Amino acid sequence: MESFGHVIGGEEVASVGGATFESVDPWTRAPWATVALGSAEDARRAIDTARTAFDDGPWPRMSFAERGQLLHRLADLIDAHTDELALADTTDMGKPIAQTTSHDVPRSARNFRFFADHARITPAETFPMPDGHHAYTRYDPAGVVAAIAPWNFPLMMATWKIAPALAWGNTVVLKPAEQSPASATILARLALEAGLPPGVLNVVHGYGPSSVGQALTESPDVDRITFTGESTTGRVISRAAAGNLTPVSLELGGKGANLVFADADLDHAVRWAIQAIYSNSGQVCLAGSRLYVQRGIYDEFLARFTAAAEAMVLGDPKDPATQIGPLSSQEHYEKVAGYLDVATADGARLHTGGRADGWTIRPTVITGAGQRARVTQEEIFGPVVVVLPFDDEADAVSAANDSPYGLNAMVFTRDLARAHRVANALRVGTVWANCFFVRDLRAPFGGAKNSGVGREGGTYSREFFTEPKAVVMEIAAS
Ligand code: NAP
Ligand code: MG
């Protein structure tokens, strides 16, 4: 069994009362690591440490170049520890090792490099005033940031929050999800090795409700809360934060619509549609879980898509050939499997897929579900896609927008004007045309409707993790 502690004030420590919990490998369904189980008291210790590091320590007072150098060193250490970090996430929550190694870990290193450089080179505005004054903007660090992360991209989502927070001079307390704690401790160890001052990046493990998560969101000493997770949790966190009027950034659930028009390059659309729903076993907020196909190509598209889904390799996520691993936990497996029964009870059909051994679900296609069916409206968060036909562009747009979520959508068409029109008409945070998941870290990332509040990425992260201050100065007495 491996062991992972909290990291507070530069030390890897046990919980105040010594409590621990076990992290379960969803492939073997056996515990593989012992993890410190924090309480509200451990959270307060971490907040106090981060507060002191912010109020009295060097970090917020360093130049962007000095901080950037340390963050680049951390990125290099992440790259050098790719295998260890990839295996930690894969063992904790079952995502295929090919994905953690080739995507999640490199992207985590890139998050640090990008935000370090972005903070260093991004100019601030000046506002020359015609009356003998000028105004300019300072982007001062906000203070102590609480980062609460989900289990589906453990390292990547944590670093997407920590990197901009640190680059802009804040100190951080990270709470990873209890299903995926290991990579957070490894990251904090590497941050110390890179030379980040003690107390700048702290990690506290433990549960959300009535525990570490709640203590972080209710603390008056926390200046920003950045949360990624379920929409229902987002509401709870928003209410807790309101007590102190703490600004909150929420990246929440999704039910991405994928619109495939008859004029699309079908091979290309099938390839992306498969990736959009089945990568990470569908445990992706951005998953293209509602696949709308224009009626003229519906049968052919469905046949090609089904063949590709059935060809996917299921198995041990630690095997580099595996494409579909187990779901992250027994509880989550039962939730996703339950939706297969919901679908059939509602009169829809399992066109392919269904339960496999252990906590694995085969790539599943549901047909014959109505637009109002639960499987069409609710986030399943597994390898389950609902395929529905549409007639024309207006139908496609109105079906896509008929959702409580508004995180993202995809459109496949060779008609450039149509791609722009549809992108304009969709009420979502991101539209991908003829692609999926491609990211420019300068672009806004976040969701409309129940998919979130606020945006992160580039200057959007700067707005959230700083306290923009206007300074107005007289230049000449008039
Ligand atoms: P979750 O159940 O909402 O949990 C997310 C985090 O919040 C965990 O660390 C959890 O702790 C913590 N938490 C739970 N209750 C809390 C409370 N009352 N106060 C403070 N913290 C609390 O989400 P998940 O199941 O881990 O992740 C899946 C969800 O995340 C999906 O809905 C997915 O769409 C969404 N997601 C969104 C994005 C995006 O960018 N929009 C990206 C990835 C995932 P414990 O569970 O450890 O108790
Ligand atoms: Mg959850």
Side-chain angles (χ1 to χ4, degrees):
M1 292 276 276
E2 294 203 36
S3 162
F4 298 96
H6 311 300
V7 177
I8 300 175
E11 309 276 344
E12 189 164 338
V13 295
S15 295
V16 172
T20 60
F21 69 102
E22 287 176 336
S23 183
V24 172
D25 174 340
W27 175 248
T28 63
R29 288 172 276 153
W32 76 281
T34 305
V35 184
L37 177 61
S39 62
E41 198 178 343
D42 296 287
R44 276 193 292 274
R45 248 197 329 165
I47 294 166
D48 289 348
T49 306
R51 185 82 259 163
T52 306
F54 184 81
D55 291 343
D56 307 327
W59 188 253
R61 291 155 194 90
M62 284 182 188
S63 68
F64 286 111
E66 286 173 299
R67 275 202 300 265
Q69 204 169 27
L70 294 172
L71 295 176
H72 271 271
R73 207 177 286 160
L74 174 54
D76 293 343
L77 284 172
I78 289 171
D79 282 339
H81 288 77
T82 298
D83 291 345
E84 183 188 1
L85 287 161
L87 192 60
D89 278 355
T90 289
T91 313
D92 259 347
M93 53 69 67
K95 80 164 49 181
I97 194 84
Q99 194 184 98
T100 40
T101 306
S102 71
H103 173 265
D104 292 25
V105 178
R107 168 62 197 281
S108 300
R110 191 176 146 218
N111 284 340
F112 283 105
R113 294 194 180 99
F114 169 80
F115 283 108
D117 295 347
H118 183 266
R120 184 171 50 78
I121 67 172
T122 302
E125 307 82 3
T126 62
F127 306 93
M129 297 162 72
D131 63 349
H133 296 75
H134 76 163
Y136 63 90
T137 314
R138 291 183 52 91
Y139 289 94
D140 296 332
V144 174
V145 171
I148 302 178
W151 49 258
N152 64 333
F153 288 86
L155 184 68
M156 189 187 113
M157 291 306 325
T159 56
W160 172 244
K161 301 171 177 310
I162 295 167
L166 292 182
W168 287 102
N170 303 282
T171 59
V172 173
V173 179
L174 166 68
K175 190 200 96 61
E178 87 228 24
Q179 295 89 344
S180 57
S183 61
T185 293
I186 301 171
L187 176 71
R189 291 173 188 158
L190 295 178
L192 292 170
E193 192 181 330
L196 271 71
V200 167
L201 173 59
N202 307 279
V203 170
V204 187
H205 298 291
Y207 304 131
S210 312
S211 184
V212 172
Q214 191 174 329
L216 290 175
T217 55
E218 288 179 347
S219 170
D221 286 321
V222 165
D223 301 288
R224 293 288 185 277
I225 299 165
T226 168
F227 167 77
T228 299
E230 294 180 26
S231 299
T232 46
T233 314
R235 287 193 181 86
V236 174
I237 287 178
S238 256
R239 275 194 287 270
N244 299 304
L245 296 175
T246 310
V248 188
S249 172
L250 302 173
E251 294 189 348
L252 307 176
K255 188 78 181 178
N258 189 352
L259 312 179
V260 182
F261 285 86
D263 67 352
D265 174 338
L266 282 201
D267 283 337
H268 188 74
V270 167
R271 214 168 35 247
W272 278 119
I274 287 280
Q275 188 164 331
I277 182 60
Y278 298 131
S279 69
N280 205 17
S281 299
Q283 301 166 121
V284 180
C285 53
L286 303 161
S289 49
R290 295 184 290 148
L291 182 49
Y292 296 98
V293 182
Q294 198 160 17
R295 216 174 281 279
I297 56 159
Y298 180 85
D299 290 337
E300 188 188 348
F301 185 91
L302 183 60
R304 288 202 211 183
F305 182 89
T306 303
E310 289 173 350
M312 293 188 84
V313 181
L314 276 61
D316 180 350
K318 292 173 210 81
D319 179 339
T322 294
Q323 294 173 304
I324 298 271
L327 297 179
S328 62
S329 66
Q330 179 166 17
E331 185 192 2
H332 190 58
Y333 167 78
E334 279 163 11
K335 177 190 157 188
V336 175
Y339 271 106
L340 305 181
D341 303 330
V342 166
T344 46
D346 283 353
R349 210 162 75 78
L350 289 194
H351 183 76
T352 187
R355 294 168 174 81
D357 293 337
W359 298 340
T360 304
I361 302 264
R362 291 189 285 132
T364 298
V365 174
I366 294 174
T367 54
Q371 176 64 26
R372 306 306 312 162
R374 281 185 60 196
V375 289
T376 311
Q377 290 292 324
E378 298 175 16
E379 183 182 50
I380 298 174
F381 221 56
V384 180
V385 70
V386 175
V387 187
L388 293 164
F390 69 84
D391 289 315
D392 58 19
E393 190 178 311
D395 285 347
V397 167
S398 81
N401 281 338
D402 175 17
S403 169
Y405 294 105
L407 191 56
N408 64 298
M410 283 67 74
V411 50
F412 288 87
T413 176
R414 284 195 172 99
D415 180 340
L416 196 56
R418 179 180 3 241
H420 286 295
R421 265 196 319 269
V422 170
N424 183 40
L426 292 169
R427 272 192 70 201
V428 295
T430 299
V431 175
W432 277 290
N434 297 320
C435 62
F436 172 67
F437 215 73
V438 180
R439 293 289 314 284
D440 183 319
L441 303 187
R442 295 170 298 181
F445 183 80
K449 301 194 262 184
N450 288 353
S451 291
V453 175
R455 295 290 183 273
E456 294 187 17
T459 50
Y460 305 89
S461 295
R462 176 184 66 177
E463 303 302 315
F464 182 71
F465 290 114
T466 62
E467 201 68 79
K469 181 192 289 167
V471 180
V472 185
M473 184 178 277
E474 186 182 67
I475 0 185
S478 51

